[in-house]
Amino acid sequence: MGSVLALSSSPGRQNWPFSTDPPPSHWDRRDGRLPNPGSFHSLHRSCKDVFPQQIEGVKMILNKTLSSFFKVSHTLHLSAVSPSYYRFHVEHLQSDDYSKDKDAPALIGEMDSSGSLNAHALLHLTERVRARTVFQTQQSQFVTWQFETEYRGNDFTAAVTVANPDIIRESVILVAHFLQSVSSGLVVGGELVYHRGRAEEGGILTLAGQYSRPNWVATLNAGKGGAHASYYHRANKQIQVGVEFEASTRTQETTTSFGYQMELPEANMVFRGMINSRCIIGGVLEKRLTPLPATLIMGAFVNHRGDKLQVGLGINVG
């Protein structure tokens, strides 16, 4: 169940494949109407985008645009810690009249050298209704099949997700999201997760709230399963910082993390760093190799409590 709920909870930069919407800008509306609060998945995205993504080993990514609607990429990852792999990624881009972002992906497929497949689809059924589907296999076994429908009103968003329905095993996971703009800077809502199987049945209710100003965003999710709070602040055009607090009632663990992002446009560089209460310190440097269409990525993460060091080097071409 954890892999399914991870797709429906607040993801990071890479967890949800259709994270093309920018964080909702509640201060941009000048017509007096409340804005749409956006998707429940993107509540903590402003803060999570500040944190570096862990990199280990050597990774090479080659991107190729075949047409205005079709893109492919090849990824080769060599690692001494985890199994090395090759991954093929393909995107068919959105082309309907209802998409605000013409480059938003409509179909995404990934397959790696072990035979595992990830397939995602996003359709804009109407101007306000979106449908998503997710299929994931681990080699020859299905691990996730998920269907979501989202409705975006003028000042609210409602979504329902059905995950891993199995008639034979009499199991299913249902997730309902709702967000409502209360004022120009305040959004409230909640998430209800219901799961049923032969051995267990239950539900978890999580309440959510977000308050945003021009330079900062504060978000809180709290419920029976735990709490997740984040604070994002843009100090200036070059520096952004974020703080996260996560507590789980199931594992009885809490984690506090601090991250920052520094942009150096003159040097074509972006640096992201982090430190958390588990004594993990890490940083990732991205350097655009102009005039070449390539980006060099270097990262290192140190776990002082576990006495572990991970160093990674990557290049993204295209």
Side-chain angles (χ1 to χ4, degrees), residues 8-194:
S8 62
S9 60
S10 56
R13 199 159 44 246
Q14 78 288 3
N15 290 343
W16 188 251
F18 306 112
S19 299
T20 56
D21 301 329
S25 301
H26 304 285
W27 48 84
D28 292 337
R29 297 299 295 266
R30 300 180 181 180
D31 54 5
R33 295 182 300 173
L34 295 178
N36 180 275
S39 174
F40 195 92
H41 307 294
S42 62
L43 280 177
H44 296 274
R45 186 186 304 155
S46 298
C47 181
K48 285 186 174 295
D49 285 349
V50 173
F51 287 78
Q53 298 300 309
Q54 190 164 348
I55 181 174
E56 186 274 328
V58 179
K59 179 181 291 187
M60 181 177 181
I61 303 174
L62 177 62
N63 303 294
K64 179 65 175 179
T65 300
L66 301 180
S67 69
S68 58
F69 301 105
F70 199 63
K71 295 181 179 180
V72 298
S73 68
H74 306 268
T75 302
L76 179 62
H77 185 205
L78 303 178
S79 172
V81 178
S82 58
S84 302
Y85 64 85
Y86 163 79
R87 177 180 298 158
F88 177 70
H89 176 100
V90 60
E91 293 183 9
H92 182 274
L93 304 183
Q94 189 82 26
S95 60
D96 63 85
D97 297 332
Y98 301 110
S99 178
K100 296 181 180 179
D101 185 357
K102 294 301 181 182
D103 291 332
L107 297 173
I108 293 180
E110 284 187 353
M111 178 171 284
D112 60 25
S113 53
S114 67
S116 299
L117 172 68
N118 292 334
H120 311 267
L122 168 64
L123 297 176
H124 289 204
L125 303 180
T126 67
E127 185 178 0
R128 297 182 180 272
V129 180
R130 299 181 178 186
R132 295 185 177 98
T133 60
V134 178
F135 292 93
Q136 293 182 340
T137 66
Q138 187 67 35
Q139 296 181 352
S140 61
Q141 295 183 349
F142 274 95
V143 293
T144 300
W145 50 101
Q146 179 173 311
F147 311 92
E148 177 181 351
T149 301
E150 181 182 80
Y151 180 84
R152 296 198 175 192
N154 292 331
D155 58 359
F156 71 93
T157 298
V160 176
T161 303
V162 179
N164 289 15
D166 193 328
I167 300 178
I168 299 178
R169 298 181 180 179
E170 299 179 357
S171 63
V172 68
I173 298 175
L174 299 177
V175 183
H177 294 148
F178 183 80
L179 288 178
Q180 174 71 56
S181 294
V182 179
S183 66
S184 60
L186 180 62
V187 174
V188 297
E191 175 189 64
L192 177 62
V193 178
Y194 169 80

Side-chain angles (χ1 to χ4, degrees), residues 264-270 286-297 315-318:
L264 301 174
E266 297 82 1
N268 296 319
M269 289 195 307
V270 177
E286 300 180 8
K287 167 67 175 179
R288 186 71 178 177
L289 303 178
T290 54
L292 299 176
T295 301
L296 179 65
I297 305 172
I315 185 167
N316 193 328
V317 181

Side-chain angles (χ1 to χ4, degrees), residues 247-291:
S248 173
T249 57
R250 182 178 62 87
T251 61
Q252 300 295 315
E253 293 182 352
T254 60
T255 303
T256 303
S257 305
F258 171 78
Y260 65 94
Q261 174 179 309
M262 179 181 298
E263 300 181 20
L264 301 174
E266 297 82 1
N268 296 319
M269 289 195 307
V270 177
F271 180 80
R272 294 182 178 92
M274 61 85 64
I275 182 173
N276 64 19
S277 57
R278 296 181 179 180
C279 299
I280 298 177
I281 302 176
V284 172
L285 175 66
E286 300 180 8
K287 167 67 175 179
R288 186 71 178 177
L289 303 178
T290 54

